[in-house]
Amino acid sequence: MTPLPAAALRQLAQEARFDLCGFARAEPIPAEHLGRWLEAGYAADMDWMGARAAERLDVARLLPGARTVVSFACNYLVDDAAAAGSPIARYARGRDYHATLRDRIRAFRRGLRARYPGVETYAGVDATPLMEKVWAVRAGLGHVGKNGCLITREYGSWVVLATMVLDAEVDAYADGMAADRCGPCRLCLTHCPTEAILPGRMVDARACLSYQTIENESEVPEPLRAALGGTVFGCDICQQVCPLNRAPMPTPDARFLPRPVAGLTARELAGMDRATYDALVPGTALARAGYDGLRRNAAYTLGAARDAGARKVLARLLGEHEPERVRAAARWALEQLDGVAHG
Ligand code: B12
Ligand code: SF4
Ligand code: SF4
């Protein structure tokens, strides 16, 4: 088959509403990066990261005859005024990005098949066994910063990624990888409240507040709880301090606009009843934590922030009908308020 024209594919990507798109040869990924991370236990209990390691390292195991990997990025930074002070990480404030990017992948695939019938594809967003940042680097979209995030020239690190494998070649691949623009800076390392960022652009998920508030379904380890004062879901600190994010480029993309749930305070999230949850959370990335996970997180946040006005809502979370992880978080939070004047 003659190589597909990269320019035409870029056009399709733009029509599908991806902000960036690049092409890499589908060559295996050296095992050392993922291997070191898994062996050190940095994956915490995300067993799914190790379970399909062979596929992560070689896309030909996902799509026989793989030749090209297309990396896509969408800028999700919106004007912050709408959700200033939200305790929810920016990527999770709008419609669930997985759904948005999956829709765009489908649109791209439809366009590709209409023009080039017979091309086989394998694609995913986040949950598929693809090392999306490595492909983004190889496709020339940016570099992986010391904070472990893919940083683009156009939008900094405020991008989410989608990745597609093709069994066809394209006529132009990225010519070399994007330069490492971190230089001597270490701001993300010094500002991470839990020292989760390690040398070698690795993040120890066990210490990362993003992991603790999104993936960890049991109790947050005691030494990390005090760092949760500013966040209920996800963590943006190592991106907020990054100088490469200093020229923000807000997107007009309505799908990333904050939904009403992003306007809730930690107190409101802790006190949310089931009906409010059902009205506000499904369709956003927050659904991953679930009703109890979000209230557990919010209780930790209130305790870490020593929010004296939160006593009432925390006391309600001690109710016998509440699951143990919510009660335990509320108990801990109330202990933090011992000696704090009533608000
Ligand atoms: C597991 C995971 C997590 C874990 C671990 C994070 C980590 N850095 O490994 C936790 C739960 C902590 C997490 C948190 C977040 N995540 Co996350 N996560 C993933 C996931 C599923 C896999 C990442 C992975 O493979 N890790 C294993 C390590 C070993 O691989 P790595 O991260 O690629 O890092 C190595 C390589 O990049 C290598 N490397 C660097 N440059 C190069 C160049 C070449 C050529 C090669 C070969 C290798 C190489 O060096 C690194 C260290 O070895 C991806 C989705 C996916 N399928 O890829 C999303 C993903 C990385 N997450 C994403 C997001 C948005 C986040 C958060 C920002 C969310 C938030 N606000 O709370 C935080 C950021 C935390 C941070 N500082 O990294 C986005 C990243 C967007 C971006 N701009 O980078 C992704 C891509 C999801 C998506 N589809 O958009 N995440
Ligand atoms: S997301 Fe937060 S906790 Fe995780 S590495 Fe970045 S600053 Fe540290
Ligand atoms: S804060 Fe500094 S070291 Fe960290 S990713 Fe940004 S530029 Fe690189």
Side-chain angles (χ1 to χ4, degrees):
M1 190 193 277
T2 43
L4 308 176
L9 268 52
R10 273 184 204 284
Q11 176 69 29
L12 287 177
Q14 211 179 339
E15 285 162 18
R17 306 196 56 204
F18 288 112
D19 294 313
L20 298 174
C21 146
F23 307 94
R25 292 185 194 281
E27 287 159 3
I29 296 172
E32 68 208 56
H33 309 281
L34 183 61
R36 270 206 309 266
W37 190 76
L38 289 171
E39 275 155 32
Y42 298 152
D45 71 352
M46 295 182 288
D47 298 338
W48 42 271
M49 283 297 303
R52 299 183 70 186
E55 282 117 308
R56 273 177 210 281
L57 297 174
D58 186 1
V59 292
R61 289 174 180 261
L62 298 166
L63 181 74
R67 293 280 179 278
T68 301
V69 179
V70 193
S71 177
F72 304 102
C74 286
N75 170 20
Y76 62 82
L77 187 77
V78 293
D79 188 344
D80 254 353
S86 172
I88 292 164
R90 281 173 162 162
Y91 85 96
R93 292 177 187 169
R95 183 176 192 257
D96 186 344
Y97 83 91
H98 298 92
T100 298
L101 270 64
R102 272 188 216 124
D103 288 350
R104 292 175 186 184
I105 281 181
R106 273 193 285 273
F108 179 87
R109 193 186 273 131
R110 269 197 306 276
L112 183 75
R113 292 219 167 118
R115 283 197 199 190
Y116 312 105
V119 176
E120 293 297 330
T121 64
Y122 175 93
V125 180
D126 194 37
T128 37
L130 286 160
M131 294 191 75
E132 299 200 78
K133 287 179 282 174
V134 172
W135 289 114
V137 172
R138 285 183 166 180
L141 265 50
H143 81 284
V144 172
K146 289 178 196 165
N147 62 3
C149 295
L150 188 272
I151 308 179
T152 67
R153 272 195 184 277
E154 295 84 348
Y155 310 109
S157 61
W158 305 115
V159 292
V160 277
L161 304 175
T163 310
M164 180 181 277
V165 188
L166 310 178
D167 68 352
E169 303 214 324
V170 297
D171 63 5
Y173 290 95
D175 51 353
M177 288 181 287
D180 179 344
R181 295 188 294 135
C182 282
C185 174
R186 287 176 49 81
L187 281 173
C188 52
L189 286 115
T190 52
H191 281 77
C192 171
T194 53
E195 297 179 6
I197 306 176
L198 304 171
R201 282 140 222 254
M202 276 201 225
V203 172
D204 180 352
R206 295 170 301 188
C208 179
L209 300 181
S210 180
Y211 167 81
Q212 291 297 342
T213 55
I214 300 171
E215 303 289 341
N216 180 7
E217 290 182 5
S218 52
E219 288 188 26
V220 172
E222 176 103 43
L224 301 178
R225 294 178 196 166
L228 283 168
T231 185
V232 169
F233 186 90
C235 172
D236 283 339
I237 296 171
C238 55
Q239 297 186 85
Q240 257 151 5
V241 300
C242 177
L244 301 176
N245 277 339
R246 266 189 207 144
M249 269 270 273
T251 172
D253 193 333
R255 296 246 190 153
F256 293 110
L257 285 177
R259 290 198 159 188
V261 68
L264 300 187
T265 61
R267 271 193 223 170
E268 287 165 336
L269 287 162
M272 173 170 65
D273 60 19
R274 178 59 87 162
T276 308
Y277 175 90
D278 288 343
L280 300 187
V281 177
T284 72
L286 303 176
R288 179 144 183 99
Y291 179 51
D292 295 335
L294 279 179
R295 292 182 309 138
R296 176 207 69 163
N297 291 350
Y300 283 131
T301 302
L302 295 169
R306 307 191 82 206
D307 179 350
R311 280 196 174 87
K312 224 197 253 151
V313 70
L314 289 168
R316 278 212 306 276
L317 294 182
L318 293 175
E320 268 173 27
H321 57 285
E322 294 291 357
E324 183 45 33
R325 63 179 166 143
V326 175
R327 294 172 64 184
R331 257 194 312 272
W332 176 83
L334 283 164
E335 281 162 24
Q336 310 317 300
L337 300 184
D338 279 350
V340 177
H342 280 262

